[in-house]
Amino acid sequence: MRICVVFNPAAKGDKARRFRQHLADLGPDCVLKPTGCAGDGQRLASEAVEDGFETVVAAGGDGTVNEVLNGIAGVPGSLARTRLGILPLGTANVVARELRLPLDWRRAWRLILEDSEQRVDLVRARFDRAGQPVCRHFVQVAGAGLDGRATELVDWQWKKKVSYFAYIAAGLRALREPQCPITVETDTGSIVGELVLMGNGRLYGGPFSLFPAANLRDGLLDLRVFAKANLSLAATMALGLCTGRVGRVGGSTDLRVATARLSAPNRVPLQLDGEFVGELPAEFQVEARGLRVLSRLPPSAA
């Protein structure tokens, strides 16, 4: 099995430091491709696919996973022949948690070598960035409105020092701004709200189950549409995160759909897998079982 590992050598934190110290332990059949700048992971993953690697591993956080995922998906036909592996070195590691991966990179590496493959749903998003149409994929979560704006405002240097508190600070800044109504259109009708959160899996922001009914292999995307994005909702969400009951936060209309379109009269930021990517309008479509991934999910009956 030919394995390529895409890794940011400038990544900070104890997990990344320990990983760098033990790169030689990965073995002779592994090729390491270090990134040089933001967005480099996507290019390197595409190169790995074109070079014939059967498994491309994202060594990093959710942002790195998303870059590598899009690098694989960007090569025509590659999703059918290339598997995604993950070595969780980030802060939240939401995708790794959803896939039931060990958060210790050594144990995660052993799982990759065991070749435990599953197929999970992949979501394709089409949206605008700087006035240009863009197509990207995500596997876990997306958000438009307050959530997207907070991600856009996060100070990434501070995030490396204070972890989740950087998101809280960014969210409070975003709350001071006017919230724009977002129209959500699906096959069953339309609804308007100021905050839209979308889950392909259950988890959001770490080990927090915001979409308790979501399933990575049901061909559907779970949406929570909140009528108002204000301080009251933020406080309720924060309390839910602290108590582990964020999935029970009320005040939302919940939908399960295969496709959705989001639009707004003014600029509304969009995040995919915890990374700011652009703004609305955006269209989402689930590609059922579209991603081959090395995980600890139990085998599916379907």
Side-chain angles (χ1 to χ4, degrees):
M1 180 172 60
R2 300 185 67 208
I3 302 175
C4 176
V5 176
V6 177
F7 170 63
N8 177 7
K12 296 182 179 180
D14 289 340
K15 290 183 180 180
R17 177 179 55 79
R18 288 194 295 268
F19 178 70
R20 285 193 297 270
Q21 291 174 345
H22 296 89
L23 290 178
D25 297 344
L26 297 184
D29 294 328
C30 172
V31 173
L32 185 74
K33 286 184 177 286
T35 62
C37 59
D40 221 12
Q42 181 170 343
R43 176 183 63 82
L44 293 173
S46 292
E47 290 179 357
V49 171
E50 292 170 345
D51 289 341
F53 284 94
E54 300 166 352
T55 301
V56 182
V57 176
D62 294 312
T64 302
V65 173
N66 188 264
E67 285 191 12
V68 171
L69 163 65
N70 278 281
I72 296 172
V75 179
S78 61
L79 288 171
R81 64 177 186 268
T82 309
R83 290 92 57 81
L84 171 69
I86 300 173
L87 294 178
L89 304 178
T91 301
N93 298 308
V94 185
V95 178
R97 293 175 189 272
E98 188 73 43
L99 295 172
R100 304 186 186 181
L101 299 178
L103 297 185
D104 175 81
W105 78 265
R106 286 181 178 276
R107 293 172 58 205
W109 180 248
R110 287 196 293 270
L111 178 66
I112 289 171
L113 296 180
E114 291 171 5
D115 202 21
S116 176
E117 178 187 323
Q118 295 294 328
R119 286 183 176 267
V120 299
D121 295 343
L122 191 59
V123 186
R124 182 175 67 243
R126 300 183 186 276
F127 54 92
D128 289 341
R129 182 165 60 203
Q132 298 297 317
V134 177
C135 177
R136 286 187 70 86
H137 291 79
F138 71 93
V139 70
Q140 183 63 27
V141 69
L146 178 66
D147 182 63
R149 179 58 173 156
T151 304
E152 183 181 20
L153 291 173
V154 166
D155 185 317
W156 295 104
Q157 294 302 317
W158 197 32
K159 177 199 166 189
K160 293 175 182 178
K161 298 178 181 179
V162 299
S163 186
Y164 296 111
F165 293 103
Y167 287 104
I168 295 174
L172 292 173
R173 287 178 60 193
L175 274 173
R176 298 173 189 161
E177 303 175 354
Q179 304 301 313
C180 181
I182 301 168
T183 300
V184 180
E185 299 173 85
T186 70
D187 290 340
T188 59
S190 64
I191 186 173
V192 178
E194 292 182 349
L195 171 62
V196 182
L197 300 176
M198 294 163 274
N200 190 32
R202 300 172 300 109
L203 303 181
Y204 173 90
F208 310 111
S209 179
L210 182 61
F211 310 95
N215 185 320
L216 281 174
R217 295 180 291 202
D218 63 0
L220 298 173
L221 183 63
D222 285 45
L223 274 65
R224 302 197 69 177
V225 183
F226 293 88
K228 292 293 181 182
N230 50 28
L231 188 59
S232 176
L233 175 62
T236 303
M237 292 283 286
L239 179 61
L241 290 173
C242 293
T243 61
R245 297 173 178 268
V246 69
R248 300 182 185 180
V249 171
S252 68
T253 299
D254 299 339
L255 308 170
R256 307 191 76 207
V257 299
T259 62
R261 184 179 189 276
L262 276 59
S263 60
N266 300 312
R267 181 182 185 272
V268 172
L270 173 70
Q271 65 91 357
L272 304 181
D273 283 338
E275 300 289 319
F276 167 71
V277 294
E279 56 271 340
L280 302 185
E283 296 181 354
F284 302 87
Q285 181 173 0
V286 179
E287 299 177 358
R289 314 278 178 115
L291 178 65
R292 299 171 65 196
V293 64
L294 299 174
S295 80
R296 270 189 172 166
L297 289 174
S300 172

